[in-house]
Amino acid sequence: MSSEPGAGYELPLRMLMAFRTIIDEVHAELARAGHPDLRPMHGFVFQAIGPHGTTAAELGQRLGVSKQAAGKTVESLERMGYVERATDPRDARRKIVRLTGRGLDSLARSAAAFDRIRARWAADLGADRLAALEADLRRLTPADFFRLDTPGWFGGA
């Protein structure tokens, strides 16, 4: 492969590396704040669970993985204290997965870390350049930019 700037493969790799740089920094902050076991995939899981909870089958569908893979992830997160299983108040036959206070804390800390990183990038690049980059990416990508099925697309949860 050529390392020539502008080579076709460089754009997706640079975008992936920008994503990875941000995610790695967020997870380093989370680890320092008492969440050392969280992995990038867990953020997708937490978003797929949502504020009202979901079933393991629905979680698997949202993530693009099997019900079994989703269940295994839920078991792991439950052991770490990030989620809990409870009876669905609308249907006692169903079990729903909900975020615990620990799970909600990790989301709040992640959001704050993302905001700090964005502010630093704005300072490094200039607010106008970062805003233009974001506007260009919005123009070039689908409106539903947050695809929860990314873990399944990458090969599983």
Side-chain angles (χ1 to χ4, degrees), residues 16-127:
L16 177 62
M17 289 311 301
F19 174 80
R20 172 102 191 241
T21 298
I22 292 169
I23 297 301
D24 285 349
E25 186 172 336
V26 167
H27 280 269
E29 281 195 38
L30 286 171
R32 287 190 298 273
H35 300 283
D37 296 329
L38 285 181
R39 300 293 169 254
M41 181 266 306
H42 295 144
F44 288 97
V45 174
F46 292 172
Q47 294 299 321
I49 290 171
H52 306 294
T54 188
T55 66
E58 290 167 342
L59 182 62
Q61 287 175 329
R62 291 176 185 174
L63 295 172
V65 299
S66 70
K67 178 182 174 182
Q68 293 78 13
K72 193 172 181 181
T73 300
V74 167
E75 287 173 14
S76 173
L77 289 169
E78 191 173 31
R79 278 193 306 276
M80 292 188 286
Y82 290 99
V83 302
E84 62 187 3
R85 295 180 214 218
T87 301
D88 186 337
R90 294 167 288 172
D91 183 348
R93 296 168 296 173
R94 289 175 18 129
K95 292 285 186 191
I96 59 170
V97 178
R98 296 188 299 220
L99 295 173
T100 62
R102 183 168 169 76
L104 294 170
D105 178 70
S106 71
L107 284 177
R109 290 177 185 276
S110 294
F114 283 125
D115 287 343
R116 282 191 296 277
I117 293 166
R118 188 191 180 284
R120 192 180 72 242
W121 282 34
D124 289 349
L125 295 174

